[in-house]
Amino acid sequence: MKPGLRYALGTPRLAPLGRRAVYGLCLLLLFTGVVWLVLHTWLRVEGPFGPQHHPLEAWLMRLHGLLALPALLGLGALLPIHVWPAWRPRQHRTSGLGLLVACGALALGGWALYYVANEAARHWLSVSHWLLGLALPALVLAHIVGARRERRADEREPHRRPGV
């Protein structure tokens, strides 16, 4: 990105390494969640007592939970460097707030899935968790596309100094 007015004023845009880390963690979480969902829903293996769950399900769930920890740390790191600087000028507040709520709901749902013992509640928690997890990439994409569209519009218009 060319050093322009937005860059000089301290844009809330993430640095390339930060973007790659966030995108990579999101993709890994999505991958482990989708593979677990496919194995859990549609694939069974033949066991000594009939069809049973695929043995990789447990490992995928463990890996998914393990990846959630750095994702939550990354989300916490985004607050002071990305969320708060964009909040006051009202940049992408709707899509950003939607992402924060979705991430919070996913984290809370994952915690509840781990600790709730009631089978009826676990079923609905599980369904809501994977539905929201499958919808999250669309929310992230909408946030990114909106920010890029605004940035391109800012780069096209000539920059004027304040008061001139």
Side-chain angles (χ1 to χ4, degrees):
M1 181 172 150
K2 294 180 197 173
L5 183 62
R6 280 178 52 117
Y7 186 76
L9 292 176
T11 179
R13 187 171 181 222
L14 289 175
L17 182 61
R19 275 196 312 272
R20 284 189 209 111
V22 168
Y23 297 162
L25 272 171
C26 287
L27 286 174
L28 284 171
L29 279 166
L30 180 66
F31 176 76
T32 56
V34 167
V35 173
W36 176 87
L37 183 61
V38 167
L39 291 177
H40 184 76
T41 306
W42 292 293
L43 294 178
R44 297 281 189 253
V45 294
E46 195 61 38
F49 302 106
Q52 60 187 28
H53 291 289
H54 198 281
L56 284 179
E57 279 186 47
W59 289 104
L60 283 166
M61 194 178 297
R62 289 177 187 128
L63 180 59
H64 191 73
L66 182 66
L67 289 170
L69 296 174
L72 286 171
L73 285 172
L75 182 63
L78 282 176
L79 291 175
I81 64 172
H82 184 72
V83 176
W84 303 144
W87 193 259
R88 281 197 133 226
R90 297 178 180 256
Q91 294 174 330
H92 312 289
R93 194 180 272 190
T94 304
S95 62
L97 187 60
L99 279 173
L100 284 175
V101 169
C103 288
L106 283 169
L108 189 61
W111 175 84
L113 282 167
Y114 193 77
Y115 287 106
V116 170
N118 181 348
E119 282 304 312
R122 280 188 60 77
H123 171 72
W124 289 110
L125 283 167
S126 178
V127 170
S128 64
H129 188 78
W130 60 256
L131 282 173
L132 190 54
L134 290 173
L136 193 65
L139 295 173
V140 171
L141 192 61
H143 188 68
I144 292 168
V145 167
R148 286 184 179 170
R149 190 175 296 144
E150 181 181 302
R151 191 171 58 249
R152 286 189 185 120
D154 284 352
E155 289 172 354
R156 275 183 283 199
E157 72 180 34
H159 296 291
R160 296 183 330 179
R161 291 189 309 201
V164 177

